[in-house]
Amino acid sequence: MNFYPTPPVIQAEIYVRIPDCLRCTGQLTEWRSGSALPSTDIFLEAPTYTANGDLYIVDVPYGRILKIDSHKNVTESVRYDGEPNGLVVREDGCLVIADYKQGILLFDPGSGKISPLLTRRNLERFKGPNDLIISSQNEIYFTDQGQTGMSDQSGCVYRLSANGKLDCLVSNGVSPNGLALSPDERFLYVAMTRSNSVWRLPLHLDGTTSKVGLFFQSFGCAGPDGLAMDEEGNLFICHPSLGSVFVVDAEGIPKARIVTAPTGGKNLTNCTFGGADGKTLFITDSLKGYVQCVRWHCRGVPAARKVPSAY
């Protein structure tokens, strides 16, 4: 029996296509995606919108950060020896990078320089960081996915406090990927790609978590990837193998399904809110090298929260 009405289907549209001159055609890379589809000359992830109207994205296999300005002009901001997978912009304008190869890095758009922020836990390298967000207390939450999955359930979710303290919140993750904080920051949602699910972590006042639960369960060859949140508490779940972004409310009840544009690709890997009013959802169409978009009825919650003035 279906207790809930079928959620509406919303079709995305193409926002911009990365031009041929900025694609790495014929260039070698040792990086391989988790997709069953063949690799291409680009693989987009980590859309990040800034206050001045720029949209940054990464090209994972070729170690690049690309910038799309408000006029939809695309430029290469930096290329370096890494595999950037997640991005979030700090209040000072620097971009924090979750780099699969190098750890947690900083990119200064003004100088064009890449510098290390956290490359090891104690003396050990990470498995392979994937995504990250910043809380209103300047805490960086990030996932360490590596090659974990159903046969190796050792993926981690970390919190890096403003004072440099690193806590491991989850150490048994099944390919931890995208993250999102609830509007009140009481809950952290984590996509677990290879178990086709999203976990919900209660965040306690003492900085710990307990009673981590299964919030969303899906199906398909590859599960949830990037996550985003709107101001009403609706969670946006990118699902690459189904060519969709599922929208569920705070109770997990389906509200909408966003499907790929008619000329777009299937691998919708990550999403973020932006635009002049904060109501445009930007979605990376990874293998096609497109950015798609959808207008939403309310504002999104930024992946980096503003620090309270009293903090």
Side-chain angles (χ1 to χ4, degrees):
M1 181 181 294
N2 184 8
F3 293 97
Y4 305 113
T6 301
V9 175
I10 304 168
Q11 192 162 74
E13 61 183 55
I14 303 299
Y15 178 71
V16 71
R17 177 187 183 274
I18 305 304
D20 291 340
C21 62
L22 286 175
R23 293 173 180 249
C24 298
T25 305
Q27 298 183 34
L28 297 177
T29 174
E30 61 183 10
W31 182 88
R32 296 291 181 270
S33 77
S35 171
L37 298 174
S39 299
T40 62
D41 51 12
I42 200 165
F43 192 96
L44 301 182
E45 263 273 16
T48 302
Y49 193 83
T50 64
N52 64 359
D54 292 331
L55 179 69
Y56 285 92
I57 53 177
V58 300
D59 179 14
V60 185
Y62 301 102
R64 301 191 301 160
I65 298 176
L66 307 177
K67 183 179 77 172
I68 305 168
D69 68 19
S70 58
H71 301 290
K72 300 185 181 181
N73 298 310
V74 186
T75 54
E76 183 180 288
S77 293
V78 69
R79 183 168 184 165
Y80 68 100
D81 180 22
E83 294 169 1
N85 203 107
L87 280 182
V88 65
V89 61
R90 295 196 312 193
E91 279 199 313
D92 62 1
C94 287
L95 295 172
V96 187
I97 308 167
D99 188 288
Y100 186 90
K101 187 176 181 180
Q102 302 284 5
I104 308 302
L105 308 176
L106 278 180
F107 171 59
D108 183 347
S111 66
K113 292 183 178 179
I114 298 281
S115 58
L117 179 62
L118 182 70
T119 58
R120 298 171 184 261
R121 183 192 184 196
N122 298 328
L123 293 177
E124 291 184 329
R125 292 283 186 179
F126 293 107
K127 293 176 180 289
N130 185 287
D131 209 349
L132 71 176
I133 54 176
I134 301 177
S135 76
S136 64
Q137 302 302 313
N138 264 341
E139 302 158 314
I140 299 174
Y141 291 90
F142 67 95
T143 50
D144 191 22
Q145 181 187 54
Q147 293 296 299
T148 61
M150 298 298 289
S151 61
D152 176 12
Q153 300 179 24
S154 62
C156 295
V157 179
Y158 290 104
R159 179 187 57 236
L160 178 63
S161 298
N163 63 6
K165 184 174 183 289
L166 183 65
D167 297 303
C168 183
L169 301 179
V170 169
S171 59
N172 64 332
V174 188
S175 194
N177 199 321
L179 311 100
L181 279 167
S182 61
D184 58 9
E185 300 191 15
R186 292 177 55 214
F187 300 98
L188 177 69
Y189 297 90
V190 182
M192 295 291 177
T193 302
R194 301 303 160 193
S195 64
N196 235 308
S197 63
V198 176
W199 291 6
R200 178 176 177 265
L201 283 62
L203 298 176
H204 306 312
L205 292 177
D206 63 358
T208 63
T209 186
S210 64
K211 294 189 176 180
V212 174
L214 176 63
F215 176 75
F216 174 86
Q217 185 70 63
S218 187
F219 58 92
C221 299
D225 194 326
L227 304 178
M229 178 73 63
D230 73 15
E231 61 185 3
E232 295 178 352
N234 299 309
L235 183 66
F236 294 70
I237 306 166
C238 290
H239 202 301
S241 70
L242 300 181
S244 302
V245 180
F246 295 102
V247 187
V248 299
D249 69 13
E251 304 300 325
I253 298 173
K255 295 196 68 173
R257 178 189 177 197
I258 299 168
V259 297
T260 187
T263 57
K266 189 178 182 182
N267 278 56
L268 304 183
T269 51
N270 211 332
C271 61
T272 194
F273 277 95
D277 60 0
K279 297 181 181 180
T280 299
L281 185 74
F282 296 100
I283 310 162
T284 46
D285 183 354
S286 59
L287 289 169
K288 282 278 192 176
Y290 296 158
V291 175
Q292 301 189 27
C293 67
V294 162
R295 289 289 293 166
W296 193 243
H297 67 269
C298 67
R299 294 173 59 88
V301 176
R305 312 293 176 91
K306 289 187 177 180
V307 179
S309 57
Y311 176 65

